[in-house]
Amino acid sequence: MSISIPAELIALASQLADASAAAIRPLFRSAFAIDDKSDDSPVTVADREAERVMRALINEARPQDGIIGEEFGAERADAEWVWVLDPVDGTKSFTVGRPLFVTLIGLLHRGVPVLGVINQPISGERWLGGEGVPTTLNGEPVSANATDHLTRARIGSTGPEYLPTGLAAFEALANTCRYKLWGGDGYLYAQVASGWLEVVVEEGLKLHDFAALAPVVNAAGGRMSDWQGRPLTVASADTGRVLAACNPQLHAAALAFMQEV
């Protein structure tokens, strides 16, 4: 069932993107420490500061809303509206001065992603879209493309090491496609939304990795689901298996390769 997202929440999502970008930009290509988290993934001051400023804005403007962030955990996670924050998605890219990382700002309504922002602070690119909110790039409408056959589709994923159970199926799918690309993290899904890429397959994503992505892709005319074709929800984080495609027809063709894994 569709919902109407209050205008104040859409405006707040943009404010969060502005504030996080302002925290990140001065640190890009500067000297900073790289720490390792318990899962061996890297984290920097940019991740922490960007999430802190976003949490502060939410708590000031919408103290009734929940927050789930990659760096500082959850508060009020059972609220009707919950913000899901990944301050620097693609920290490895950030640490080497590669401007492919993005800030992901997702909004859940009763556990379902309904609004998303994909923000690239260095290039100044911002995708926003969701339920009843057509996807835009810097305020201009964008749409996924109409490629209708896998042989003409380009496919991407962050890296083979992130497909522990699905690599063989992914490679079979990729061999059917025109060609594949590795790397990009959340930026890959923005490429789908803008019509620059056709298919993305990933595994092991956490809620903060996909909550912002699905609304943006879907509102651009694409389709993003789990490997069984089900809409993404909080429960999808159990496996983090996601498939994004530029339109429902191509999604169905790609899904046939992944749903048996």
Side-chain angles (χ1 to χ4, degrees):
M1 184 174 68
S2 62
I3 65 161
S4 178
I5 302 173
E8 67 176 293
L9 296 182
I10 300 172
L12 179 55
S14 291
Q15 292 169 15
L16 299 178
D18 288 339
S20 57
I24 291 168
R25 275 194 297 266
L27 297 165
F28 184 62
R29 295 178 180 170
S30 70
F32 49 77
I34 304 171
D35 299 322
D36 294 318
K37 295 193 284 190
S38 59
D39 61 359
D40 292 328
S41 63
V43 62
T44 74
V45 63
D47 301 78
R48 298 184 182 110
E49 287 305 310
E51 185 168 324
R52 281 193 185 103
V53 298
M54 289 192 287
R55 283 178 174 269
L57 279 172
I58 295 166
N59 282 324
E60 179 180 358
R62 298 273 305 183
Q64 71 273 34
D65 290 354
I67 306 173
I68 298 173
E70 179 178 14
E71 306 308 331
F72 299 115
E75 51 186 297
R76 303 181 297 277
D78 58 350
E80 178 181 5
W81 299 95
V82 177
W83 298 90
V84 183
L85 310 175
D86 190 344
V88 180
D89 182 71
T91 298
K92 290 179 181 178
S93 287
F94 177 81
T95 64
V96 298
R98 182 184 296 169
L100 285 179
F101 67 92
V102 288
T103 297
L104 300 178
I105 301 162
L107 181 62
L108 308 180
H109 183 255
R110 303 195 188 283
V112 177
V114 295
L115 182 71
V117 175
I118 304 173
N119 198 59
Q120 212 307 309
I122 308 307
S123 64
E125 297 171 304
R126 181 177 304 172
W127 289 262
L128 185 151
E131 191 75 31
V133 183
T135 298
T136 56
L137 168 56
N138 294 345
E140 295 296 323
V142 294
S143 60
N145 72 52
T147 299
D148 59 0
H149 200 280
L150 288 172
T151 58
R152 293 188 290 274
R154 298 156 295 181
I155 184 169
S157 189
T158 295
E161 67 271 32
Y162 300 112
L163 290 164
T165 69
L167 182 58
F170 173 83
E171 291 288 8
L173 170 57
N175 287 338
T176 304
C177 293
R178 186 176 183 186
Y179 53 81
K180 69 182 176 186
L181 305 98
W182 295 117
D185 298 282
Y187 197 85
L188 290 166
Y189 302 84
Q191 292 175 276
V192 173
S194 278
W196 307 332
L197 182 67
E198 286 73 48
V199 182
V200 182
V201 175
E202 294 194 288
E203 182 177 3
L205 298 191
K206 299 178 175 64
L207 179 63
H208 58 256
D209 292 313
F210 66 75
L213 303 176
V216 172
V217 170
N218 292 336
R223 185 173 178 200
M224 187 166 170
S225 73
D226 68 10
W227 290 359
Q228 301 305 311
R230 297 172 297 214
L232 297 176
T233 68
V234 169
S236 305
D238 289 345
T239 63
R241 294 172 165 182
V242 305
L243 167 64
C246 57
N247 56 65
Q249 182 176 344
L250 202 70
H251 181 276
L255 189 66
F257 286 82
M258 303 307 304
Q259 63 188 166
E260 299 302 321
V261 178

